[in-house]
Amino acid sequence: MAGVTLFEVGPRDGLQNESVLLSSEDKVFLVEQLMDAGLTRIEVSSFVSPRWIPQLADAEEVFRQVQRRPGVELSALVPNEKGLERALACQVDAVAVFMSASETHNLKNINKTRVDTYPVLAPVVTAAKAAKKSVRGYVSTAFGCPYEGEVAITEVIEVSMRLFEMGIDELSIGDTIGVAVPTQVEALLAEMEKQGIPLERIALHFHDTRGTAVANAYAGYQAGVRIFDGSIGGMGGCPYAPGASGNVSTEDLRYLFESMGVTTNTHLDKLRDAARWLSQRLQKTLFSHDSQVAHAMTWAEGESEPQ
Amino acid sequence: MAGVTLFEVGPRDGLQNESVLLSSEDKVFLVEQLMDAGLTRIEVSSFVSPRWIPQLADAEEVFRQVQRRPGVELSALVPNEKGLERALACQVDAVAVFMSASETHNLKNINKTRVDTYPVLAPVVTAAKAAKKSVRGYVSTAFGCPYEGEVAITEVIEVSMRLFEMGIDELSIGDTIGVAVPTQVEALLAEMEKQGIPLERIALHFHDTRGTAVANAYAGYQAGVRIFDGSIGGMGGCPYAPGASGNVSTEDLRYLFESMGVTTNTHLDKLRDAARWLSQRLQKTLFSHDSQVAHAMTWAEGESEPQ
C-alpha cells in the first residue's frame, strides 16, 4: 500500500500549548531527535508575536542553531508579512499560514473576520512563493468550532478554495477541538474532490480528544490522503479541555499505518526516545497510547511488537 | 444509518481486572445504572471458579439482588458445565463461553489446547440451548496473541466455525491485547462472510491499548457488524500492559456512533454518571477519552456537545 508522510507539528503546535518553557538548545535537540527518527517535514516554530506565544519567542535562535539536513523540510508558521520577513531571514524551507473555517474561532484567534483575513494572507503567500518557499495553509475548526458547534462543509470549502487561489501548495485540514468522526472526513474530502482540489495537496490534522483521531486518519487514508500531522508524544494537549488529549501522537499514527503495511519511513525507537526525553523536560506525562504501551508491555519474553 | 447495540462488558470483563473489590451491592447498583443508561445487553458476572477471579466470586449474590427489567438481557460467562449449572440456577438470560484463537493463549488462560477445549464447551452450549438460553461465544486473541504475535485468519475462522457448529447464537471476536488495525478487521470479516458466517451474528470486542479501537469499530460497522462490546469508563485496563488502556469505553464507542448519526439508544449523562461513580468506588482514574472531556470541556458558554 502507498506510504504516507507524517508531518511533525510537535515543536510548534504541541509546544505552544505547554506551560514549561524549553530552552532554545532543548528545542534544537528536539528537532534533531525528530530528524534522527526519520521525520522529513517538521514545523519548527512560529513567527507570531512573542507576546502571543512566549514559548516560541526564540524562533530565530532555534533556526540559527539547528543543523539542516538534506531532504528535510524545516518550516515555520507566519501570521502576516512581518512574520514572513522574519522567517525568510532565517532561511526556513517552507512557511505556513493559518485561519479558521468558522467565523467566531477566526475572530477570537486572529482578531479578524474571515473576509478580512484573506487580504492579510494573500500577500504573505505571494511573497513566500516569490522567495521560492513552499507554502502550507491551515484551515482550523474544519469539523467543529468550540463556539459555533458543527461547521458546514461549505464553509470549509470556501476558506480552502480561497487559500488555494492565493497559491498555497498544500492545505492542512484541522480538527482543532477533536470532534470529527470518519463519516465527516469522508464527506469533506469527497466534496473537495468534487470541487477539483487534488487530495495529494491535502494533509489531515487530527486531535484525539474523543478518541477518533486514528479512525479519522484511517478514513482519510482510504479516501486518498497521504499526509498526516502528528505531534511527538501527543504533546500539546487540548487547549479547550485541559487534561484531555490534543494532537494525535506521531507514534500512534505510525502504529496505525505501519501495522497496515503502509510505510512511514520512521524509526519507532527514536520517536519513543524523543517522547520520553520531552516528557522529562516538560516535567509531565505526555499522552499517547504508544507511550503507555512502550513501558508497560510484556510481549511474551522479549520485545516482538511490530517495529 | 442502521443503529448499533453496545454490549456492556464492564461488570464482568472490566471488573475482573480491577484490584479493588466491589461489594455485591455496588455491583448491583452498577448494573442498575447501566440499565438506566439504556444499555440492554449487560454481562453481569462470571461463573468461573472464585479461586480464578475473586472479584467475581459473588456472581450468585449479584444475580439474586439485581432487579430484572423487560427487554434487558443480563448474561454471565461460564467456563464449563459446572459454571452453567450455577448460571442456570440464577436464571441468567444468556450465557457466554470462551476460548482463544491462539494455542498458547488458550493453554495459559484455560489450561487446555484448543482441540481439548471444544469437548468442554460443546455440552455447555447444548445444555444452555436446551434450557432456552441464548449463547454467546468469545474468541480471544483474534488479531494478536501476547505469546505468539499475529494470529492467522485461518486460526480464527477454525475456532469460530467450531463454536458456531456447537450452536452458539453470536460470536464476539476479541482483540484481547489491543493490537488490531482496521485492515485486519476488514480482512477477517470478509473471510467470515466468505465462509458463510452471517455478520449479524458477529460482535466486535476491541481494546484501545494502541488507540485503534474506535478505528476498528468504524471498520467493523462499515463491513456490516452491528454489535460492539464496550466497558463503562474503559474499566479494566490492559492485563498485559498495566497502566495502558484496555477495553474501549462504552462512552467512546457511543461518541463515534452517535456522531455519525448511528443510534445507540443510550444516554450519555447516565453513562458518565456511572463511570464517575465507578471511578470513586475503584479509587482510581478510569481511562476513557470521554471522561477526560466531560469534566474539562468548555464548549462555548454551555454544554452543546452532541448528546
Side-chain angles (χ1 to χ4, degrees):
Chain A
M1 297 213 276
V4 294
T5 298
L6 300 183
F7 185 105
E8 177 60 46
V9 299
R12 196 278 304 170
D13 192 24
L15 209 49
Q16 74 178 27
N17 289 317
E18 296 293 347
S19 53
V20 171
L21 294 185
L22 289 194
S23 70
S24 304
E25 289 67 29
D26 276 349
K27 291 171 188 170
V28 169
F29 184 56
L30 172 61
V31 172
E32 282 168 354
Q33 288 178 85
L34 297 170
M35 294 193 287
D36 288 346
L39 294 161
T40 55
R41 301 186 66 191
I42 303 171
E43 201 167 79
V44 170
S45 193
S46 174
F47 290 95
V48 296
S49 165
R51 278 175 297 128
W52 290 3
I53 304 175
Q55 176 73 272
L56 303 181
D58 61 350
E60 273 88 356
E61 187 57 27
V62 174
F63 271 101
R64 201 184 61 74
Q65 286 186 31
V66 75
Q67 195 83 34
R68 308 302 173 90
R69 299 187 194 175
V72 176
E73 175 198 275
L74 300 184
S75 60
L77 204 68
V78 295
N80 49 33
E81 288 180 279
K82 188 165 168 224
L84 178 66
E85 277 167 37
R86 291 172 59 202
L88 293 177
C90 290
Q91 266 98 53
V92 301
D93 299 315
V95 296
V97 296
F98 58 97
M99 62 180 293
S100 306
S102 68
E103 186 76 349
T104 317
H105 190 266
N106 203 66
L107 271 167
K108 299 225 180 197
N109 198 37
I110 55 187
N111 210 23
K112 285 187 174 57
T113 64
R114 288 169 297 180
V115 164
D116 288 344
T117 304
Y118 301 131
V120 176
L121 300 186
V124 177
V125 177
T126 304
K129 295 305 297 174
K132 309 259 187 264
K133 303 299 177 187
S134 73
V135 182
R136 162 177 263 219
Y138 281 103
V139 55
S140 302
T141 62
F143 301 97
C145 167
Y147 311 109
E148 297 179 15
E150 196 165 339
V151 175
I153 285 181
T154 50
E155 304 209 63
V156 187
I157 296 286
E158 165 71 14
V159 172
S160 302
M161 297 297 269
R162 295 292 291 263
L163 289 168
F164 275 116
E165 282 158 19
M166 290 177 200
I168 62 167
D169 300 286
E170 175 178 299
L171 180 74
S172 173
I173 304 173
D175 181 21
T176 312
I177 56 172
V179 290
V181 288
T183 42
Q184 275 184 288
V185 176
E186 290 161 5
L188 178 58
L189 293 174
E191 185 59 28
M192 290 203 151
E193 277 201 297
K194 206 170 136 192
Q195 298 293 330
I197 299 175
L199 293 192
E200 55 266 35
R201 295 174 68 182
I202 295 294
L204 290 170
H205 181 109
F206 293 120
H207 284 212
D208 202 27
T209 316
R210 288 162 187 79
T212 58
V214 168
N216 293 334
Y218 173 66
Y221 182 85
Q222 295 286 91
V225 174
R226 295 293 176 263
I227 307 166
F228 295 88
D229 296 1
S231 175
I232 185 74
M235 176 170 55
C238 179
Y240 300 97
S245 314
N247 284 294
V248 64
S249 75
T250 308
E251 305 94 292
D252 289 351
L253 284 177
R254 183 190 186 283
Y255 182 82
L256 169 75
F257 288 118
E258 294 285 344
S259 303
M260 298 199 307
V262 172
T263 182
T264 63
N265 282 311
T266 56
H267 311 294
L268 180 58
D269 289 350
K270 292 189 172 168
L271 290 174
R272 285 178 171 177
D273 287 347
R276 263 192 294 262
W277 174 87
L278 247 186
S279 176
Q280 285 163 2
R281 275 297 192 268
L282 294 171
Q283 301 158 42
K284 67 183 279 195
T285 302
L286 292 178
F287 179 85
S288 74
H289 288 273
D290 182 74
S291 69
Q292 295 182 303
V293 171
H295 299 289
M297 188 77 191
T298 304
W299 188 278
E301 302 306 308
E303 170 87 19
S304 65
E305 270 187 283
Q307 289 291 320
Chain B
M1 297 214 272
V4 294
T5 298
L6 300 183
F7 186 105
E8 177 61 47
V9 299
R12 196 278 303 171
D13 192 24
L15 208 49
Q16 75 178 26
N17 288 315
E18 296 293 347
S19 53
V20 171
L21 295 185
L22 288 195
S23 69
S24 304
E25 289 68 27
D26 277 348
K27 291 172 188 170
V28 169
F29 184 56
L30 172 61
V31 172
E32 282 169 355
Q33 288 178 85
L34 297 170
M35 293 193 287
D36 287 345
L39 294 161
T40 55
R41 300 185 67 190
I42 303 171
E43 201 167 82
V44 170
S45 193
S46 174
F47 290 95
V48 297
S49 165
R51 277 176 297 126
W52 290 4
I53 304 175
Q55 177 73 270
L56 303 180
D58 60 351
E60 272 89 356
E61 186 57 26
V62 174
F63 271 101
R64 200 184 60 74
Q65 286 186 32
V66 76
Q67 196 83 34
R68 308 301 173 89
R69 299 188 194 175
V72 176
E73 175 198 277
L74 300 184
S75 60
L77 204 68
V78 295
N80 49 35
E81 288 181 279
K82 185 161 169 232
L84 177 65
E85 279 167 37
R86 290 172 59 201
L88 293 178
C90 291
Q91 266 97 53
V92 300
D93 299 314
V95 296
V97 296
F98 58 97
M99 63 181 292
S100 306
S102 66
E103 185 77 347
T104 317
H105 190 267
N106 203 67
L107 270 167
K108 298 222 181 199
N109 198 38
I110 55 186
N111 210 22
K112 287 188 173 57
T113 64
R114 288 170 296 181
V115 165
D116 288 345
T117 304
Y118 300 131
V120 176
L121 300 187
V124 177
V125 177
T126 303
K129 294 306 295 176
K132 309 262 187 258
K133 303 299 176 187
S134 74
V135 182
R136 163 178 260 219
Y138 282 104
V139 54
S140 301
T141 63
F143 301 97
C145 168
Y147 312 109
E148 297 178 15
E150 196 165 340
V151 174
I153 285 181
T154 48
E155 305 209 62
V156 186
I157 296 286
E158 165 72 14
V159 171
S160 302
M161 296 297 270
R162 295 293 290 264
L163 288 168
F164 274 117
E165 282 159 17
M166 289 176 200
I168 63 166
D169 299 285
E170 174 178 298
L171 179 74
S172 174
I173 304 173
D175 180 21
T176 312
I177 56 172
V179 291
V181 288
T183 42
Q184 274 183 289
V185 176
E186 290 162 5
L188 177 58
L189 293 175
E191 185 60 28
M192 289 202 151
E193 277 202 296
K194 208 171 136 191
Q195 299 293 331
I197 299 174
L199 294 193
E200 57 265 33
R201 295 173 69 181
I202 295 294
L204 290 170
H205 180 109
F206 293 121
H207 284 211
D208 202 27
T209 316
R210 288 161 187 79
T212 57
V214 169
N216 293 333
Y218 173 66
Y221 183 84
Q222 294 287 90
V225 174
R226 295 292 176 263
I227 308 165
F228 296 87
D229 296 1
S231 174
I232 186 75
M235 177 171 52
C238 179
Y240 301 98
S245 314
N247 284 293
V248 64
S249 75
T250 308
E251 306 93 293
D252 290 350
L253 284 177
R254 183 190 186 282
Y255 182 82
L256 168 75
F257 288 118
E258 293 285 343
S259 302
M260 299 199 306
V262 172
T263 184
T264 62
N265 283 312
T266 56
H267 312 294
L268 180 57
D269 289 351
K270 292 189 172 169
L271 291 174
R272 285 178 170 177
D273 287 347
R276 263 192 295 264
W277 174 86
L278 248 185
S279 176
Q280 286 162 3
R281 275 297 193 268
L282 294 171
Q283 301 158 41
K284 68 183 278 196
T285 302
L286 292 179
F287 180 85
S288 74
H289 288 273
D290 182 73
S291 69
Q292 294 181 304
V293 171
H295 299 289
M297 189 76 191
T298 304
W299 187 280
E301 301 307 309
E303 169 87 21
S304 65
E305 270 188 283
Q307 290 291 323

